[in-house]
């Protein structure tokens, strides 16, 4: 399959981060927290569809609702009730949400919200974090990987990133300096840095950003594509108790189907309203063929209703605590340097002595050890992403047995790895 794939897909994959050395396994079926490949191998999945599948693969209630919707229409292209129903839930659950617009991905939601911030403030600059990942949108595709001052991709027009300033996470002085000139439209931050390795904001950091943004008239944007509905029904803003002006959502809110959304204050979102702002020089454009897709909407509605009950969080956050505690014990009893990050149902392992505060610290991660760990876990049928920076998600179908299997395999590695 890998040979076949290489003939038609660059690198044989649909997304570079899905590549595995020496070649990927090919999934034939995904159910609960288990993946079965074409050779019949069964894996415990701690990647859970890029973190999107908080209820696991093919949750029966989601599948039933989707099956019923398929008979009524897969894509409408006109207004329908489901788009209101899902938006009402978002407004109810996400503290900053007063109005919502949908996209088909987190990348698009970031793109449109950056534009909206510029339209609302009349300013052009954007501030983001080193290591902050907001998808492949040109203006935010900067300073994601070390070295942070080198273009993230060939083909990026330097003009599209020249108004983007990149600052370190957990550094309020850097934020104060970047926003000083009062010409920045928005500061975007993941309340829990996902791709950076589940980095946690220090006490007072998000509050400090809120204050600096208020003082300078800069919009504070939380990119909650990972933390949204992962750190509880109110996402990172509910968990950490800081409310942004605009929130980016994706992944979990689509119940396993493609989606993105941006939501926030009414006065900001009215800039998208062509009735209020008929002059296109004042209005911020947003749209897309598959926006408000009914299949994604219905899957999202069922997912959010289950999450709102709270039992799912009790279970997955409990398993999260168990795995972090078990990992901490293993690391303490081992000669291999490692530190943990993550909260709730997320956990990251960094092969370095101290837990990183930001991605500058993550550069101390011993990638050789991380890769050896990945191979070790893969041979024990446990999968996550990425091979060089293990960060894992727990979903509702995971059980104590899955966590014990993870810990046993990890203990084995930490006991035997010689560097
Ligand atoms: C925080 C964050 N923002 C944006 C994105 C991009 O979302 P998508 O892959 O749906 O375009 C991601 C993807 O992982 C993400 O983690």
């Amino acid at each position: 399959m890998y040979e076949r794939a290489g003939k038609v897909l660059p690198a044989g994959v649909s997304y570079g981060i899905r590549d595995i050395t020496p070649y990927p396994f090919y999934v034939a079926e995904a159910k609960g927290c288990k993946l079965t490949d074409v050779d019949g191998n069964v894996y415990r999945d701690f990647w859970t569809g890029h973190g999107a599948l908080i209820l696991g693969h093919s949750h029966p209630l989601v599948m039933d609702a989707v099956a019923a919707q398929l008979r009524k229409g897969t894509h409408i292209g006109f207004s329908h009730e489901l788009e209101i129903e899902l938006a009402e839930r978002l407004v109810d659950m996400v503290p900053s949400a007063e109005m919502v617009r949908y996209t088909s991905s987190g990348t698009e939601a970031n793109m449109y919200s950056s534009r909206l911030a510029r339209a609302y403030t009349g300013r052009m600059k954007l501030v983001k974090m080193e290591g902050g990942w907001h998808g492949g949108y040109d203006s935010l595709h900067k300073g994601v990987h070390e070295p942070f001052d080198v273009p993230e991709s060939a083909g990026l027009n330097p003009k599209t990133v020249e108004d983007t300033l990149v600052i370190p996470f957990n550094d309020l002085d850097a934020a104060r300096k970047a926003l000083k000139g009062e010409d920045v439209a928005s500061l975007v931050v993941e309340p829990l840095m996902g791709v950076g390795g589940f980095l946690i904001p220090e006490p007072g950091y998000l509050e400090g950003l809120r204050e600096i943004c208020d003082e300078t008239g800069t919009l504070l944007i939380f990119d909650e594509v990972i933390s949204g509905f992962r750190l509880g029904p109110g996402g990172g803003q509910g968990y950490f108790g800081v409310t942004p002006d605009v929130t980016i959502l994706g992944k979990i809110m689509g119940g396993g189907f493609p989606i993105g959304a941006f939501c926030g204050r009414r006065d900001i979102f009215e800039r998208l309203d062509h009735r209020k702002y008929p002059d296109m020089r004042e209005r911020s454009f947003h749209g897309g063929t598959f926006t408000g897709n009914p299949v994604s909407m219905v899957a999202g509605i069922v997912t959010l209703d289950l999450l709102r009950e709270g039992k799912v969080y009790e279970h997955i956050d409990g398993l999260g605590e168990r795995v972090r505690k078990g990992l901490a014990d293993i690391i303490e009893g081992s000669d291999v340097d490692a530190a943990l990050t993550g909260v709730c149902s997320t956990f990251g392992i960094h092969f370095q002595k101290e837990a990183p505060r930001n991605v500058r610290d993550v550069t101390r991660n011993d990638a050789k050890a991380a890769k050896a760990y990945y191979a070790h876990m893969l041979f024990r049928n446990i999968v996550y992403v990425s091979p060089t920076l293990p960060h894992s998600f727990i979903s509702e179908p995971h059980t104590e047995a899955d966590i014990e299997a993870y810990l046993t395999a990890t203990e084995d590695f930490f006991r035997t790895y010689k560097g």
Side-chain angles (χ1 to χ4, degrees):
M1 278 206 180
Y2 182 56
E3 266 177 33
R4 242 173 87 198
K7 290 186 187 139
V8 285
L9 303 168
V13 288
S14 299
Y15 190 172
I17 59 171
R18 296 186 192 157
D19 194 12
I20 294 173
T21 304
Y23 49 80
F25 57 90
Y26 286 84
V27 177
E29 192 176 87
K31 267 226 168 95
C33 62
K34 302 270 164 61
L35 304 172
T36 307
D37 74 11
V38 290
D39 298 318
N41 299 304
V42 180
Y43 303 86
R44 294 177 204 267
D45 180 15
F46 286 90
W47 177 226
T48 65
H50 297 235
L53 299 162
I54 200 164
L55 301 179
H57 296 275
S58 315
H59 189 281
L61 290 181
V62 177
M63 291 307 103
D64 288 349
V66 165
Q69 182 56 40
L70 290 180
R71 287 189 291 274
K72 297 186 209 160
T74 61
H75 168 49
I76 311 279
F78 283 103
S79 297
H80 56 90
E81 191 174 0
L82 295 170
E83 64 194 12
I84 311 171
E85 279 194 24
L86 183 58
E88 285 169 347
R89 281 162 176 77
L90 299 181
V91 167
D92 196 38
M93 294 167 79
V94 180
S96 65
E98 289 178 357
M99 302 200 97
V100 179
R101 275 287 179 98
Y102 301 111
T103 60
S104 300
S105 69
T107 301
E108 289 164 86
N110 272 289
M111 176 179 83
Y112 284 119
S113 68
S114 299
R115 180 185 293 182
L116 177 60
R118 286 171 165 148
Y120 181 80
T121 59
R123 304 170 179 182
M124 284 301 131
K125 289 194 177 144
L126 306 174
V127 170
K128 73 175 289 287
M129 301 294 151
E130 283 172 354
W133 174 241
H134 307 288
Y137 162 52
D138 283 13
S139 292
L140 294 177
H141 203 175
K142 185 174 181 180
V144 182
H145 301 100
E146 250 252 314
F148 301 114
D149 56 353
V150 166
E152 284 288 331
S153 169
L156 268 181
N157 183 339
K159 288 180 187 152
T160 60
V161 282
E162 77 188 16
D163 279 337
T164 304
L165 313 173
V166 183
I167 60 171
F169 185 63
N170 272 332
D171 183 341
L172 281 177
D173 284 340
R176 215 168 274 120
K177 220 164 120 200
L179 299 192
K180 204 170 70 197
E182 300 197 356
D183 52 359
V184 175
S186 59
L187 179 148
V188 61
V189 60
E190 301 164 73
L192 173 77
M193 284 192 74
V195 174
F198 294 144
L199 308 182
I200 303 165
E202 288 172 347
Y205 179 64
L206 296 177
E207 289 85 344
L209 291 182
R210 178 68 278 176
E211 262 174 48
I212 300 166
C213 284
D214 285 343
E215 281 162 22
T216 55
T218 308
L219 294 188
L220 178 61
I221 303 182
F222 278 4
D223 183 344
E224 298 233 36
V225 169
I226 295 254
S227 54
F229 310 109
R230 169 68 59 186
L231 308 193
Q237 54 202 270
Y239 185 79
F240 295 114
V242 176
T243 306
D245 301 298
V246 173
T247 300
I248 315 291
L249 295 166
K251 299 198 198 273
I252 289 175
M253 66 164 282
F257 290 81
I259 205 157
F262 55 125
C263 52
R265 272 190 4 233
R266 181 174 304 277
D267 62 318
I268 300 170
F269 275 68
E270 280 176 348
R271 280 279 164 176
L272 298 161
D273 183 338
H274 56 274
R275 296 193 185 205
K276 284 219 160 73
Y277 290 93
D279 185 340
M280 69 181 182
R281 286 166 301 185
E282 295 181 343
R283 186 175 73 246
S284 185
F285 173 80
H286 153 257
T289 300
F290 288 103
T291 48
N293 175 264
V295 178
S296 302
M297 300 282 113
V298 91
I301 290 167
V302 173
T303 301
L304 295 192
D305 284 351
L306 267 173
L307 292 178
R308 263 206 289 206
E309 287 174 11
K311 282 198 215 98
V312 172
Y313 293 115
E314 260 173 51
H315 173 66
I316 60 177
D317 293 0
L319 293 182
E321 227 161 80
R322 166 79 193 103
V323 77
R324 286 189 299 272
K325 162 91 180 59
L327 289 170
D329 290 345
I330 291 167
I331 292 167
E332 206 186 299
S334 154
D335 293 334
V336 181
D337 286 341
L340 299 171
T341 52
V343 289
C344 299
S345 54
T346 67
F347 61 99
I349 305 175
H350 300 259
F351 287 89
Q352 57 193 78
K353 259 202 172 81
E354 305 282 334
R357 286 178 69 226
N358 55 38
V359 290
R360 285 190 193 187
D361 294 343
V362 173
T363 56
R364 293 196 202 109
N365 177 50
D366 179 352
K368 191 170 147 245
K371 280 186 195 162
Y373 178 57
Y374 186 83
H376 173 94
M377 298 299 268
L378 183 60
F379 277 106
R380 282 150 190 83
N381 293 28
I382 293 173
V383 292
Y384 55 79
V385 166
S386 78
T388 49
L389 194 61
H391 54 296
S392 297
F393 297 94
I394 296 166
S395 63
E396 197 264 341
H398 281 114
T399 62
E400 297 265 342
D402 294 308
I403 299 303
E404 290 317 314
Y406 193 103
L407 289 172
T408 305
T410 300
E411 193 164 25
D412 231 25
F413 177 81
F414 275 79
R415 208 169 8 88
T416 51
Y417 182 65
K418 293 284 174 254

